[in-house]
Amino acid sequence: MSRAARARPIVQMIWTRPIERVAIAVRAAVREVADVREHLLPPAIGSATAMLGIAWAWFCSLFRHPVLPLQCVLYASPGAVRRAIAAIDPEATTIYLDGVRTFALLRRLRKVYPDKRIVVDLDDLMSRRVRLLREGRFPLSAGYLTAALPPTFVRWLTGGVGRMILRYEERTLPGVEAAITHLADAVVLVSSEDLTEMRGDGPATRVSILPMVTPTGRNPTLEPGPVRFIFAGTDTLTQNRLTIDYLTDLWARERPPVELVLIGRRQRTTPLPDGVRALGYIDDIADAYDGRSVLLTPSLLRGGIKTKVLEAFAHGAPVIGNAITFEAMPIGDYPLVCDGEDELIAIIRNPEAFRDRFAVAARFGFDYVQHVHAPDVFARKWRRVLGLEEERADVMAQSA
């Protein structure tokens, strides 16, 4: 069928990882107005041929700008890049690439399809993330690749090898991110803070799109009776591990008369202090927000939008955090931003004295996600950046 006769445009989406919540929402928004074709570009782990391919790709990058960061090298196998290009529907009007990891594919795509619209979803600005990890002397995490890497290598990442990798990534990522602004038609980041730090003088449009959140039907308030504090997130991620360590130390020191429940997969087996309980992974996060739970999540690592905060707001629960917790969220005068430990200690020692503030915060957060993270706002922004919907004056006014 010719492009002229086709009723709906085609968007080709290239993924580098299992499709998680935000990516699912992006795909769903696209599918409402376009046909979607998908291809997985896997990391070159395990195959000797693929490993040789990425070694060659990295070696070649030493003699051309920019030098490839390791997270780009893993997806630069010439064979994998060729297969991805072969999988692209020639009738596709737009190509969506998942992350900075797709840089080798992007460079080749721009030569093969010079006239197609290419959008790179950077998600987080990785150069900023690795810089913050190094500056804070925080360990490197393999993230979703942990399950595919040998356990010994994963342990190396927390020591000297990890620090060397952080320094290498910090030096090489900015060059790749800048090059993307010349090769892509548009780049998307979640955080406006990341957007302001991104380098590059290329013509690509740069857009910040906040995650989509669908509020539940739960009344945004606390039910009568004692409250409990919860933290949601696996300790395999550095940012979660830092907060968990801080909170368990706080409970050990202050011994507050209220329970702290840790929700999420727990890799470490260190004992927990009195008053702290590990519930582990739960199938439905709605079970955690039972009408008496307050999310306690002071953050120690900057970068990105904290999905757990939006999740709690959407379930009508109050969230206690600091300025880092709410980074890049336009929350205005939200009443539970605690940047001093004294206020945090006062809350956990006597939460009943703060019940009115909890109720105000729950309503504030619920209204915030309804307006700022609404599914229709999210969908329109993604369709515009992908070239599937024209920008209208009323949409611009709502987004402002």
Side-chain angles (χ1 to χ4, degrees), residues 82-206:
R82 284 194 299 270
R83 287 189 292 274
I85 290 175
I88 292 174
D89 190 324
E91 293 294 313
T93 56
T94 303
I95 301 173
Y96 165 99
L97 299 179
D98 170 35
V100 71
R101 298 169 295 275
T102 62
F103 177 72
L105 173 61
L106 168 64
R107 188 153 53 184
R108 183 62 184 157
L109 273 175
R110 186 45 79 197
K111 294 179 179 179
V112 176
Y113 292 113
D115 298 325
K116 289 190 185 297
R117 182 170 181 81
I118 302 177
V119 177
V120 181
D121 182 7
L122 291 178
D123 192 12
D124 294 333
L125 190 65
M126 295 307 298
S127 60
R128 181 178 182 230
R129 174 177 286 188
V130 298
R131 190 193 79 235
L132 292 170
L133 285 171
R134 185 193 57 77
E135 290 176 348
R137 298 183 179 275
F138 300 135
L140 179 65
S141 171
Y144 70 95
L145 289 177
T146 300
L149 294 172
T152 301
F153 186 77
V154 174
R155 288 193 295 270
W156 286 348
L157 293 180
T158 64
V161 172
R163 288 191 292 272
M164 291 173 60
I165 292 175
L166 280 177
R167 285 194 293 270
Y168 176 79
E169 297 294 276
E170 184 182 5
R171 291 179 180 179
T172 54
L173 276 165
V176 166
E177 291 164 353
I180 288 174
T181 69
H182 290 272
L183 293 169
D185 294 283
V187 294
V188 180
L189 287 157
V190 173
S191 168
S192 58
E193 296 283 335
D194 286 350
L195 198 65
T196 60
E197 285 205 18
M198 185 175 180
R199 300 182 188 178
D201 56 0
T205 301
R206 307 180 197 194

Side-chain angles (χ1 to χ4, degrees), residues 227 229 256-258 294 346-356 358:
V227 303
F229 293 109
V258 63
V294 177
I347 292 174
I348 65 173
R349 281 180 174 172
N350 186 14
E352 288 302 314
F354 294 84
R355 182 174 283 275
D356 289 345
F358 291 161

Side-chain angles (χ1 to χ4, degrees), residues 191-348:
S191 168
S192 58
E193 296 283 335
D194 286 350
L195 198 65
T196 60
E197 285 205 18
M198 185 175 180
R199 300 182 188 178
D201 56 0
T205 301
R206 307 180 197 194
V207 182
S208 169
I209 302 181
L210 294 170
M212 181 193 81
V213 181
T214 303
T216 67
R218 182 184 295 279
N219 186 32
T221 187
L222 286 178
E223 296 178 0
V227 303
R228 69 171 183 173
F229 293 109
I230 66 172
F231 176 82
T234 172
D235 66 359
T236 60
L237 298 178
T238 300
Q239 60 268 32
N240 289 338
R241 187 164 58 248
L242 293 170
T243 298
I244 290 170
D245 289 347
Y246 172 76
L247 291 177
T248 52
D249 177 69
L250 190 64
W251 249 253
R253 286 190 284 116
E254 301 297 329
R255 300 184 180 276
V258 63
E259 184 180 44
L260 171 65
V261 179
L262 305 178
I263 296 171
R265 290 189 175 90
R266 189 164 181 259
Q267 188 179 58
R268 298 176 297 176
T269 58
T270 51
L272 298 172
D274 292 341
V276 180
R277 176 167 59 96
L279 187 61
Y281 176 79
I282 58 177
D283 291 326
D284 188 355
I285 194 63
D287 295 338
Y289 296 109
D290 52 4
R292 65 186 188 91
S293 294
V294 177
L295 180 66
L296 183 59
T297 179
S299 298
L300 286 82
L301 182 60
R302 291 188 177 278
I305 299 288
K306 308 299 187 286
T307 305
K308 60 174 64 64
V309 173
L310 303 180
E311 214 165 45
F313 281 163
H315 285 86
V319 178
I320 302 172
N322 53 22
I324 297 177
T325 302
F326 302 106
E327 179 182 295
M329 295 185 195
I331 58 170
D333 297 324
Y334 179 71
L336 288 177
V337 181
C338 302
D339 280 321
E341 190 175 87
D342 290 346
E343 185 177 15
L344 189 60
I345 290 173
I347 292 174
I348 65 173

